[in-house]
Amino acid sequence: VIRSVWPTDFSGIDPAVLDNARDRGIQTDALFSAYVTGSLTKIPAGTRTDVYNPETSAGLLQKLMKWWDDLGEDASNHDGSQPLTQQILADDEIAGTCDLLTAGIFDLKCTAQLQPQYEIQLGMYGLLYEAMYGKKPDALGIIHVNASMRVPECVNLDVEACMRDAAAIREVWRVIQRRSK
């Protein structure tokens, strides 16, 4: 939905650089999700050293694990249930998968810099959460980590503004869908 209304131009970036970044993000996301749920028992052979480096603590996953552990009680759901990872949120029209569902909705970004579309993405997750659960999420946020950051940062977003902007983008998408038939 977002890309059809707000396309991102990657034509100036070497495809090998994009593939490398995508692979790093996928590995980091999968391993962090397993860590959060307690199902990460060992680091798989072949894991990239920029994701997990056994000789240093500079890997993205290592930074995320320490950050998560340091959150302690703040990382849990208000009802005491376990945080959920890779959760599909949907309504009767679209679906998306958020990285982390706790007392709010969070998405992991392993990029050099955050893009404005990310807030729309979280807003869209908020709309889908509201459709599924009949209430707005308590929080929306981006967990940002990259090689140059000493510790990950959780960027808390304005729930109302993100959902309002996402609803506007979705309306434009609906117009495009209707007029393209």
Side-chain angles (χ1 to χ4, degrees):
V1 172
I2 299 167
R3 285 189 186 139
S4 68
V5 175
W6 192 337
T8 304
D9 181 11
F10 293 118
S11 63
I13 302 173
D14 180 348
V17 170
L18 287 175
D19 287 343
N20 181 57
R22 185 179 304 111
D23 181 58
R24 179 181 53 243
I26 289 169
Q27 277 194 26
T28 303
D29 195 14
L31 292 171
F32 183 59
S33 291
Y35 185 76
V36 166
T37 61
S39 63
L40 182 65
T41 56
K42 68 178 188 170
I43 303 300
T47 297
R48 299 166 54 123
T49 56
D50 55 351
V51 173
Y52 187 91
N53 188 335
E55 297 178 17
T56 71
S57 59
L60 298 180
L61 177 63
Q62 289 150 300
K63 292 176 185 182
L64 286 162
M65 289 165 40
K66 179 173 181 352
W67 172 79
W68 182 259
D69 290 344
D70 288 347
L71 285 176
E73 290 290 318
D74 292 336
S76 66
N77 288 329
H78 296 309
D79 63 4
S81 63
Q82 279 291 100
L84 303 172
T85 61
Q86 303 307 312
Q87 288 300 292
I88 296 173
L89 301 171
D91 61 17
D92 61 347
E93 197 173 35
I94 62 172
T97 304
C98 74
D99 291 334
L100 181 63
L101 185 58
T102 63
I105 300 170
F106 299 89
D107 212 55
L108 177 62
K109 301 296 183 189
C110 304
T111 59
Q113 59 188 10
L114 299 178
Q115 300 299 312
Q117 299 93 318
Y118 298 160
E119 292 188 31
I120 305 294
Q121 177 186 7
L122 271 292
M124 203 67 73
Y125 292 155
L127 294 174
L128 297 172
Y129 180 92
E130 186 176 39
M132 288 179 69
Y133 299 105
K135 63 179 185 169
K136 291 182 179 167
D138 292 338
L140 296 174
I142 297 169
I143 302 166
H144 186 210
V145 64
N146 62 41
S148 67
M149 298 172 76
R150 194 174 62 74
V151 295
E153 177 186 10
C154 184
V155 179
N156 292 304
L157 305 174
D158 181 327
V159 174
E160 293 293 328
C162 289
M163 289 178 66
R164 184 176 53 250
D165 291 350
I169 293 291
R170 189 168 182 180
E171 260 325 294
V172 172
W173 175 78
R174 285 178 175 137
V175 169
I176 292 168
Q177 297 302 304
R178 188 178 70 248
R179 296 214 173 255
S180 297
K181 290 183 179 179

